[in-house]
Amino acid sequence: MQPIWKKMAALFSVAALAILLIWKFSQQKAPPPLLIPLHTIAKEDIIPPGIVVTESTTAVSQSSVSTMPGDSMLAGYGNPKLTPQSDIVLLAHAISNFLIIAKQATDRPLSANEEWSAALRGKRPGIQPWISESSPVLDRGNHLIDRWGIPLHFHALGGKQWEIRSAGPDHKLWTADDLLAKISG
């Protein structure tokens, strides 16, 4: 018969191992959203029939170009040559990277569009701006918007994961044409 202290030590070891495994699995992060290679997208999916694409010859001065990290990650946001889904994926990547840099932002519940916008623009205590006020993802009221100008919907999934939802071309949430991406931080 084993002494009680050996039984207690064995029980403690099993409990410690169980706690370690639970902690390890809770710390695993979801993989970032996948980008769709442009060569796999049909031309008609990029530019729908009836849409006329024109090019501008206006030069952009170097002084007007933003140096915010999120702005460079959102280059191409709303570009008619890219799919609407690519906009949501670009934003998901920009926010995921923001959450890596601004770790304190992950401790705060960010579920409203206004909260995400404020955090990304550096309007929260201790957070540096990630996107500029002139970012193509912002409307005049500083809401994060899709390419149709409709505010994006953010939903906290728990475990430092969120879902970004665009109402899609019909401008109505929770319909078949909604666009989705998940972010984690």
Side-chain angles (χ1 to χ4, degrees):
M1 184 168 153
Q2 290 183 338
I4 190 76
W5 66 269
K6 283 188 177 181
K7 289 181 182 177
M8 293 291 286
L11 184 60
F12 177 75
S13 297
V14 170
L17 181 61
I19 290 170
L20 180 64
L21 288 172
I22 291 169
W23 176 80
K24 174 74 172 157
F25 286 114
S26 70
Q27 297 300 313
Q28 290 183 348
K29 295 182 179 182
L34 299 176
L35 289 175
I36 301 169
L38 287 179
H39 67 277
T40 64
I41 302 171
K43 182 180 177 183
E44 51 274 1
D45 290 336
I46 296 172
I47 305 172
I51 302 294
V52 177
V53 178
T54 60
E55 293 185 26
S56 172
T57 58
T58 306
V60 177
S61 71
Q62 195 67 348
S63 63
S64 68
V65 176
S66 172
T67 58
M68 298 294 171
D71 288 340
S72 61
M73 291 177 190
L74 290 167
Y77 191 89
N79 183 337
K81 293 182 181 179
L82 300 176
T83 65
Q85 181 66 35
S86 68
D87 292 348
I88 304 303
V89 171
L90 286 172
L91 182 59
H93 279 292
I95 291 175
S96 292
N97 282 287
F98 164 75
L99 291 172
I100 290 169
I101 302 299
K103 293 192 183 294
Q104 67 271 30
T106 61
D107 297 334
R108 300 178 184 146
L110 297 170
S111 59
N113 186 307
E114 295 82 2
E115 291 176 329
W116 281 104
S117 173
L120 291 170
R121 291 180 298 118
K123 303 298 182 189
R124 291 185 152 237
I127 299 177
Q128 295 296 314
W130 192 251
I131 62 173
S132 65
E133 300 286 336
S134 62
S135 174
V137 75
L138 293 170
D139 66 6
R140 290 184 182 178
N142 289 322
H143 295 98
L144 296 165
I145 57 170
D146 60 21
R147 68 171 53 202
W148 298 281
I150 306 301
L152 295 165
H153 177 78
F154 292 85
H155 177 71
L157 301 174
K160 296 182 182 179
Q161 293 187 354
W162 296 268
E163 177 182 82
I164 306 172
R165 181 179 292 266
S166 163
D170 72 356
H171 303 192
K172 295 178 186 170
L173 281 171
W174 316 112
T175 60
D177 72 342
D178 288 6
L179 305 171
L180 298 170
K182 291 185 180 176
I183 54 176
S184 61

